[in-house]
Amino acid sequence: MHLDHPHDGPSAVSADARRPDGRRRALRIGLGGPVGSGKTATVAALCRALRDELSLAVVTNDIYTREDAEFLLREAVLPPERIAAVETGACPHTAIRDDISANLEAVEDLEDEVGPLDLILVESGGDNLTATFSRGLVDAQIFVIDVAGGDDIPRKGGPGVTTADLLVVNKTDLAPYVGSDLGRMAIDAKAQRAELPVVFQSLRTEAGVAAVAGWVRERLAEWTA
Ligand SMILES: Nc1nc2c(ncn2[C@@H]2O[C@H](COP(=O)(O)OP(=O)(O)OP(=O)(O)O)[C@@H](O)[C@H]2O)c(=O)[nH]1
Ligand SMILES: [Mg+2]
């Protein structure tokens, strides 16, 4: 695992940083990436890592179901009132980039109902390498790929890999079984992203989500500064 730190962090701050009552709203971080790469597992691990120190909530996006929210509820990563589900009914990127109204309503409802919140994690439905979040919805975005999807993904690039504020290469524990070359993935990711950070993670190891949780804490420190 490695974590490169950019000099200035992501260019945070979408639309209004304040709620109608004048209080600072929660920092919103989006998690996107291909189907099955480990977005929900990363969200669950982040909730467990951060819930004792922060007030947080989660919005999940699924195309036709509420499966990811139901998984988080079953795992009891947060109290149920802090988990909201959006059924996109269309390509996942539509709801996080083009018509963000359902997601904006979900984050605002959470702040109204369980706020004040420090952090809201918004998980996109699994999508392709072009899917990115609107800056009107989230302040920073994490793109999650996994080693089993092929070690050529970083080389192929696309907006998620090249521009996300953090790239997570997940399931490193599977690399020996699927013949993925982690060194090659790191070189290709660096070539695509220059100074933007990359985390190699396995949620099956003790370190788990620690590096990503550290990155989230840094973004929050910037947000509240
Ligand atoms: N071996 C291994 N499996 C993992 C890891 N992270 C997640 N998984 C497994 O990968 C599968 C998919 O994980 P999810 O978190 O549901 O993936 P997702 O990106 O949310 O999937 P969609 O929301 O359907 O796009 C699950 O069976 C997870 O338990 C990891 O680091 N290592
Ligand atoms: Mg998911």
Side-chain angles (χ1 to χ4, degrees), residues 174-187:
L174 297 183
Y177 306 107
V178 295
S180 281
D181 180 344
L182 296 180
R184 167 53 49 197
M185 293 181 89
I187 290 167

Side-chain angles (χ1 to χ4, degrees), residues 113-126:
E113 286 157 23
V114 296
L117 292 167
D118 301 309
L119 174 67
I120 301 180
L121 301 173
V122 182
E123 182 191 339
S124 167

